[in-house]
Amino acid sequence: MDNTNQDVASSAGIVGDVRRTISDMVQHEISCSEAMRCVTVSAQALSNLVTGNRKLQQSLVEQELTTSVSVFDTVFCYLLSSICSQTNTAGLVLLLNCLKDNSDAIALLCDTEAGRLIANKVGVLFGDNENDESDTKTMLYVILSQIIECGKLDMLLGGESEMPVYGYLDALAVYCNEHSTDAEYEKVISKGLIAALTRVLSKSRAVLVDSWEDTADAQSLEQDTIGNFDLEDVMDAHRCLTAIVSILGTITTDGSAGIIDWLLECETIHMVIALLGLLSKHLPRIETAQERQHNLPTSGADSDNAESVKRLFMFKCDLIRIIGNIGHTSTAAQDLVRELGGLSLVLDHMKIDDNHPFIKEYAIVALKGLLHNNRASQDFVREMNVIEAAQNPELAKAGLQAFVNDDGHVSVKRAM
């Protein structure tokens, strides 16, 4: 349908008629299969009426997001909330057509309450869709990528809204992994976005604190307390943490000075170190088979909780990696990590841990960056007796020992 015919149809009120048909019929789609099919066909027709016509697309977005009686009373909300997957797909196609390369429409989506509700539906659909190869998930990702590239994601992550944000974070994690150069990061990563990520990180940590420290003042998730671990309460926090540690790990790998400065200014590193400390306290290392046997669950519910604990524990390696990435960039960053207790935490993980065979190696790599050309941190390590902290029975049996070079590098040599 060319633009001339689209304009004629719009002038004749056809766009409005189709919109009203959708809002009327969607209320009856559960009880009437014909109504469901009518909604789907109407959605496809509406998409055809505006596709390729920027003027009509912008008009539709403005009308739906700024003049609707309720935040739920928009054609996009109706289509994305439908119980019919075909209608959902038609709604996504319509939304994508209206948003693609249209910064004004994206701004309206993120600036209005009705628009944020729609964006949240897209985020949740993306986060809950486990089929990475599906066309639906691809469309969801393209929509979220438009928001990311317009620099509007921090607006959706900010505020006191209780709407779930893990879908946004999942999309950003994928985006960062696919665009891995400093030049590409600079287009989408801002101080505002770093601040928003830090707030979500802080909220997720608070959920863990409430779940663990308020449960009979438990000091660790041992067998007698693991059954009290409420998976439902921490699921969103766990999903947010999964995405955030991936994002931070990716954007700190190359050590962009601007991004590192924002991470320091927004106190993101403070949260990362605090979270590592929390996990270290409640998910202690397991060094022997006897300790692992002691922590094995005895019931089905406990088994599910134990698996969740294991997944949470895996964040420790990611957090150590992030601390090392940030600390390697400058003396100021190294000093801050040391002052916040991050250096001590890294040292504490330079031991064998049966929960994660390579966590010691993560800690060694991080330590090299934290000590590089930093005399104060090197002296701190010596005072902490890092040689003793780094030793383990396996090294001793092999006739090896760890030591710190004059330049602060940790090395292993044959024992004298």
Side-chain angles (χ1 to χ4, degrees):
M1 195 173 188
D2 60 33
N3 284 7
T4 300
N5 289 331
Q6 289 173 327
D7 291 337
V8 170
S10 177
S11 299
I14 294 177
V15 171
D17 290 339
V18 174
R19 194 265 184 211
R20 281 188 292 274
T21 299
I22 292 174
S23 63
D24 291 340
M25 291 296 102
V26 75
Q27 303 176 45
H28 305 289
E29 61 177 356
I30 295 179
S31 59
C32 178
S33 60
E34 289 299 322
M36 181 184 298
R37 282 192 288 272
C38 182
V39 172
T40 301
V41 172
S42 298
Q44 294 167 344
L46 183 58
S47 182
N48 290 334
L49 283 169
V50 301
T51 296
N53 191 316
R54 180 58 59 86
K55 177 182 176 182
L56 289 183
Q57 291 169 350
Q58 186 68 23
S59 174
L60 178 63
V61 171
E62 290 178 357
Q63 179 179 350
E64 294 299 314
L65 301 186
T66 62
T67 65
S68 297
V69 176
S70 163
V71 295
F72 302 100
D73 183 33
T74 69
V75 68
F76 302 109
C77 189
Y78 289 141
L79 299 178
L80 296 182
S81 302
S82 171
I83 62 172
C84 177
S85 60
Q86 289 180 312
T87 302
N88 297 154
T89 300
L92 289 175
V93 171
L94 175 63
L95 182 61
L96 179 56
N97 285 338
C98 291
L99 297 181
K100 191 167 178 60
D101 301 322
N102 187 344
S103 58
D104 291 336
I106 294 172
L108 273 175
L109 186 75
C110 300
D111 291 342
T112 61
E113 188 176 358
R116 287 191 290 271
L117 177 64
I118 295 164
N120 183 259
K121 286 183 177 294
V122 173
V124 170
L125 287 171
F126 179 82
D128 291 343
N129 190 320
E130 298 181 355
N131 185 0
D132 293 338
E133 304 301 322
S134 71
D135 292 339
T136 298
K137 187 153 190 176
T138 299
M139 278 194 293
L140 291 164
Y141 176 66
V142 173
I143 292 171
L144 293 173
S145 295
Q146 295 290 309
I147 296 172
I148 292 171
E149 291 177 348
C150 264
K152 294 291 186 178
L153 189 59
D154 58 321
M155 298 179 64
L156 301 178
L157 293 173
E160 298 301 322
S161 172
E162 297 300 320
M163 292 190 293
V165 298
Y166 58 81
Y168 299 142
L169 298 173
D170 286 347
L172 181 58
V174 173
Y175 189 94
C176 288
N177 285 327
E178 292 182 348
H179 303 78
S180 56
T181 67
D182 287 348
E184 290 174 309
Y185 289 153
E186 289 173 359
K187 294 179 181 179
V188 300
I189 304 297
S190 64
K191 184 177 180 180
L193 181 56
I194 294 295
L197 291 175
T198 305
R199 286 193 295 269
V200 177
L201 187 63
S202 177
K203 289 181 180 179
S204 299
R205 179 182 176 275
V207 170
L208 297 185
V209 170
D210 291 341
S211 298
W212 291 346
E213 298 193 347
D214 291 346
T215 302
D217 294 324
Q219 296 301 304
S220 65
L221 288 175
E222 297 179 350
Q223 179 58 38
D224 57 345
T225 62
I226 195 171
N228 295 324
F229 190 70
D230 192 339
L231 293 181
E232 185 175 355
D233 286 350
V234 302
M235 187 59 68
D236 281 357
H238 178 264
R239 298 182 70 170
C240 289
L241 288 175
T242 300
I244 290 177
V245 296
S246 174
I247 295 165
L248 295 180
T250 302
I251 66 176
T252 59
T253 296
D254 296 328
S256 169
I259 290 178
I260 298 300
D261 287 344
W262 289 334
L263 291 170
L264 298 179
E265 291 177 28
C266 297
E267 299 189 351
T268 313
I269 186 61
H270 297 63
M271 277 295 107
V272 170
I273 292 173
L275 182 58
L276 178 59
L278 181 68
L279 295 180
S280 298
K281 174 182 178 181
H282 291 280
L283 305 174
R285 73 176 61 86
I286 295 179
E287 300 185 44
T288 66
Q290 289 81 0
E291 288 177 331
R292 176 170 289 280
Q293 186 65 32
H294 173 71
N295 284 273
L296 285 177
T298 58
S299 68
D302 286 350
S303 178
D304 291 340
N305 284 350
E307 181 59 29
S308 179
V309 168
K310 181 179 179 181
R311 292 198 305 270
L312 283 167
F313 176 83
M314 300 297 281
F315 292 144
K316 293 171 76 173
C317 287
D318 299 301
L319 296 171
I320 290 171
R321 173 192 172 200
I322 294 167
I323 292 171
N325 288 348
I326 295 176
H328 180 70
T329 58
S330 69
T331 301
Q334 293 170 332
D335 291 341
L336 180 60
V337 170
R338 184 184 67 249
E339 292 164 5
L340 294 173
L343 184 54
S344 299
L345 283 171
V346 172
L347 289 171
D348 189 51
H349 288 88
M350 292 181 62
K351 297 179 181 179
I352 296 295
D353 191 334
D354 196 41
N355 273 318
H356 197 304
F358 300 107
I359 196 167
K360 179 184 172 184
E361 284 69 26
Y362 275 81
I364 289 175
V365 172
L367 186 62
K368 288 182 178 180
L370 293 171
L371 298 186
H372 183 66
N373 291 332
N374 191 309
R375 179 61 62 182
S377 291
Q378 294 169 19
D379 292 341
F380 176 85
V381 167
R382 290 190 179 91
E383 293 175 4
M384 291 283 292
N385 196 3
V386 65
I387 304 304
E388 179 180 349
Q391 292 294 359
N392 59 78
E394 282 70 19
L395 282 177
K397 290 176 183 177
L400 302 172
Q401 69 180 70
F403 68 100
V404 180
N405 292 324
D406 290 338
D407 61 0
H409 291 165
V410 178
S411 301
V412 176
K413 69 178 182 179
R414 182 70 58 182
M416 300 300 292

